[in-house]
Amino acid sequence: DQQVKQNSPSLSVQEGRISILNCDYTNSMFDYFLWYKKYPAEGPTFLISISSIKDKNEDGRFTVFLNKSAKHLSLHIVPSQPGDSAVYFCAASGMKAQKLVFGQGTRLTINP
Amino acid sequence: KAGVTQTPRYLIKTRGQQVTLSCSPISGHRSVSWYQQTPGQGLQFLFEYFSETQRNKGNFPGRFSGRQFSNSRSEMNVSTLELGDSALYLCASSQEPATANTGELFFGEGSRLTVL
């Protein structure tokens, strides 16, 4: 039972344009959502998060949007840079969820 | 301060053998979680330990086990290895249990296990 889904295994974007990564979840108990970034041969690192009481959170070039009614969140990166090329995981948690649940990941490639 | 340290980084085993992976969390962190990463499956939750107690366990067979010591270091063990156990095993630490601190975890670089 995949409670957090990233339906796009890969995404290719030109440098300077906007990258949009999507994530869907099924468990209504989730109330906190996070994005992690992973480079090859490294562990995932925390990127940005959003609480269910908000619908948008920005941090520099990164913005996360949450649509609770659709159980959908997205990560926008603008402008995209070559260093953004990595695998991005969305994750969800909540006191009642009891654990942090990750999606399958989306491999983002930024082309110069 | 030092990050999460996992050993060994790479290892090769054969079917039927057992393996033990080690994780040293960031100093002061009392929660350690373990994840299995395989292509197409993302990060699958194995278990979480906090103050030497297993708080939660994922949907893995009993061949997968773990423990946490008084210094917060953790080990996970996989017995009777199968080909499908080949994966990157990631350890993550946090000061409080993941669900109590909103889920921000600090990951190690992982231990890549290959089962032949």
Side-chain angles (χ1 to χ4, degrees), chain B residues 36-92:
Chain B
Q36 180 196 65
Q37 184 189 2
T38 54
Q41 292 296 315
L43 278 69
Q44 301 288 309
F45 174 77
L46 282 155
F47 23 68
E48 179 187 14
Y49 288 88
F50 179 76
S51 293
E52 301 180 67
T53 301
Q54 186 180 87
R55 279 179 46 89
N56 201 3
K57 191 174 190 301
N59 296 322
F60 280 81
R63 300 185 296 108
F64 292 80
S65 63
R67 59 178 175 168
Q68 186 179 34
F69 302 95
S70 58
N71 62 358
S72 295
R73 190 177 70 86
S74 177
E75 288 181 347
M76 68 162 283
N77 185 276
V78 187
S79 63
T80 319
L81 284 166
E82 301 176 359
L83 295 178
D85 297 333
S86 294
L88 179 67
Y89 290 87
L90 290 160
C91 167

